[in-house]
Amino acid sequence: MNVWNSSKWKALGALVITLLIGALLGAALVGTAMRQRSIMFLQFSTPEGFTERVLSIVEPVSDEQLKTILPIVQAHGEEVYAKIRESRATLIDIGQSLSDELQPHLSEEQKKRLAERRAENLRRVAEMEEAQNR
């Protein structure tokens, strides 16, 4: 008698396949949700995206109301964008300071790992700024 032909193994196989499919779908959904959140953050962190987002929330009821509130929202969008750029610059400076202070206490391997991570973080910041400037 072939063990793989028994109904127990078939049921177990079906269960395992179902669980794997569920795990893959769950991972895909989480990835999609995270991507949408990051896109929303990028949109919110540019003056134009901020303005668009606030106006979509407020939903002006007339052209007159839109004409009145648009300059207010745009001014705040510029302010938010300036703060985001300022905070990025501050974080980059803090990271450099940390790296400088750690250098005398690290092995060559640790220095290499820290430098690689720092370069990766700086690359991501540059990509985000480039995406915002498009």
Side-chain angles (χ1 to χ4, degrees), residues 105-122:
H105 309 288
L106 301 178
S107 70
E108 290 305 313
E109 181 63 30
Q110 289 171 320
K111 289 177 184 178
K112 180 182 173 190
R113 284 195 312 264
L114 184 62
E116 287 171 354
R117 179 57 61 98
R118 182 155 171 69
E120 176 65 20
N121 289 344
L122 291 173

Side-chain angles (χ1 to χ4, degrees), residues 50-75:
F50 178 88
T51 300
E52 184 180 313
R53 186 82 176 132
V54 171
L55 291 177
S56 73
I57 293 168
V58 173
E59 296 179 356
V61 294
S62 67
D63 288 341
E64 185 178 318
Q65 185 186 38
L66 175 62
K67 202 181 298 183
T68 302
I69 66 174
L70 185 59
I72 298 167
V73 175
Q74 287 174 326

Side-chain angles (χ1 to χ4, degrees), residues 90-127:
T90 300
L91 289 173
I92 289 170
D93 292 344
I94 290 169
Q96 184 61 53
S97 175
L98 172 65
S99 182
D100 292 346
E101 287 186 45
L102 287 176
Q103 290 301 311
H105 309 288
L106 301 178
S107 70
E108 290 305 313
E109 181 63 30
Q110 289 171 320
K111 289 177 184 178
K112 180 182 173 190
R113 284 195 312 264
L114 184 62
E116 287 171 354
R117 179 57 61 98
R118 182 155 171 69
E120 176 65 20
N121 289 344
L122 291 173
R123 184 189 62 76
R124 285 183 185 158
V125 167
E127 285 176 0

